[in-house]
Amino acid sequence: ASDYATIGQDLVAMCVNDVICSGAKPLYFLDYVSTKKIDGNVADIMVGILKGCEIAGVELIGGETAEHFRQREYDLAGFCTGLVEKKKIIDGSSIKPSDIVIGLESSGLHSNGYTLINDMLWRQKINYRDLPELLTPTRIYTSVVKRLLDEVDTVYGMAHITGGGIPENLPRCLPEGLTVRVDYNSWPLPEIFKKIQLAGEIDEEEMKRVFNLGIGYCVIVPANTSELTRDIIRDEGINCWEIGEVYE
């Protein structure tokens, strides 16, 4: 039963972590759950949604739970709004060469790469019983990001690492003409990703494109505030590393 609660938190996390990338404070959340029959699992999903909202500091102000006769599984959608003053929007426009990318640890897979995972489960290369960490809920970065925005006035860009991994999500916050060089050896690869890679015989490039590989969120700051930034993140109980640098 508890497995379903983690899905609710994942739903909130996916929305909230996107909203905070712009420097916005998330305000409220709405959910939509569609299922063949409303049952105990739906109740567990709601428990997870409420827990996620609590962690993120947002209100659940409404939603819809629908029964659809023809539906096989559960279908979930989430919606989150946030508020940021125009002059405080973080859009990456201040990023310059030599700025540093700091990677914040993920709690696991963060709801991404499950097409591949489910294919492997179906082929019985892996199973949930041996790998309960496949169901670890997505980390919500609201409180740490709020502290960074309050205490470091040089957060120039942020990226939520979701489907597409670091290669697709990090460049989105960079201005035209700049790229970023990420050193994949600068943080320890969590065991779960090694197990997936071995079980599925997946090559390294594919792993980078599909999974977060242990980094769930990135912030870009000038080199001279990197240490302060990392101290604050660790003070919030989250591991982090300098994982890359911006260059022309």
Side-chain angles (χ1 to χ4, degrees), residues 58-242:
V58 297
E59 293 289 323
L60 178 67
I61 61 165
E64 166 76 29
T65 309
E67 283 189 338
H68 285 287
F69 168 66
R70 286 200 164 78
Q71 191 157 339
R72 277 203 346 268
E73 307 289 336
Y74 303 91
D75 186 22
L76 291 92
F79 173 83
C80 177
T81 58
L83 198 64
V84 58
E85 285 175 49
K86 201 167 183 179
K87 62 175 195 295
K88 289 190 175 166
I89 290 175
I90 293 173
D91 58 5
S93 57
S94 309
I95 295 172
K96 60 190 183 312
S98 85
D99 283 349
I100 299 290
V101 181
I102 295 170
L104 284 70
E105 188 173 46
S106 67
S107 59
L109 273 76
H110 282 198
S111 321
N112 291 111
Y114 281 88
T115 309
L116 206 86
I117 295 290
N118 288 330
D119 183 56
M120 287 162 66
L121 291 165
W122 181 72
R123 291 168 197 257
Q124 291 165 352
K125 294 192 169 186
I126 55 176
N127 68 57
Y128 278 125
R129 259 199 323 280
D130 299 338
L131 296 173
E133 60 266 49
L134 290 175
L135 296 174
T136 306
T138 305
R139 177 171 264 151
I140 293 171
Y141 294 97
T142 323
S143 59
V144 65
V145 167
K146 184 184 184 308
R147 257 196 80 184
L148 289 176
L149 297 178
D150 287 347
E151 297 173 37
V152 185
D153 56 1
T154 52
V155 175
Y156 291 156
M158 294 189 280
H160 178 207
I161 309 304
T162 52
I166 293 174
E168 275 183 38
N169 290 284
L170 186 54
R172 280 190 200 153
C173 72
L174 295 172
E176 199 96 351
L178 295 183
T179 53
V180 61
R181 200 179 274 126
V182 172
D183 174 7
Y184 283 85
N185 297 315
S186 54
W187 72 91
L189 179 69
E191 210 53 46
I192 182 70
F193 295 107
K194 294 179 193 167
K195 289 176 181 169
I196 290 167
Q197 184 167 11
L198 278 172
E201 298 169 28
I202 304 163
D203 73 65
E204 219 145 299
E205 290 312 301
E206 172 85 346
M207 287 296 293
K208 289 176 189 174
R209 271 202 315 276
V210 176
F211 297 104
N212 65 56
L213 301 181
I215 299 294
Y217 198 88
C218 293
V219 296
I220 298 181
V221 295
N224 63 359
T225 56
S226 169
E227 199 175 336
L228 168 68
T229 304
R230 282 176 291 136
D231 286 346
I232 292 169
I233 295 166
R234 292 196 186 111
D235 191 49
E236 284 289 312
I238 299 174
N239 244 329
C240 64
W241 305 269
E242 281 192 4

Side-chain angles (χ1 to χ4, degrees), residues 18-70:
D18 275 352
V19 165
I20 58 178
C21 286
S22 62
K25 174 191 188 306
L27 291 180
Y28 57 78
F29 186 79
L30 294 113
D31 71 298
Y32 171 80
V33 181
S34 160
T35 173
K36 185 169 188 166
K37 180 160 178 36
I38 292 172
D39 55 15
N41 293 337
V42 174
D44 286 341
I45 289 169
M46 289 311 302
V47 166
I49 287 174
L50 284 163
K51 184 174 181 212
C53 286
E54 190 187 331
I55 296 169
V58 297
E59 293 289 323
L60 178 67
I61 61 165
E64 166 76 29
T65 309
E67 283 189 338
H68 285 287
F69 168 66
R70 286 200 164 78

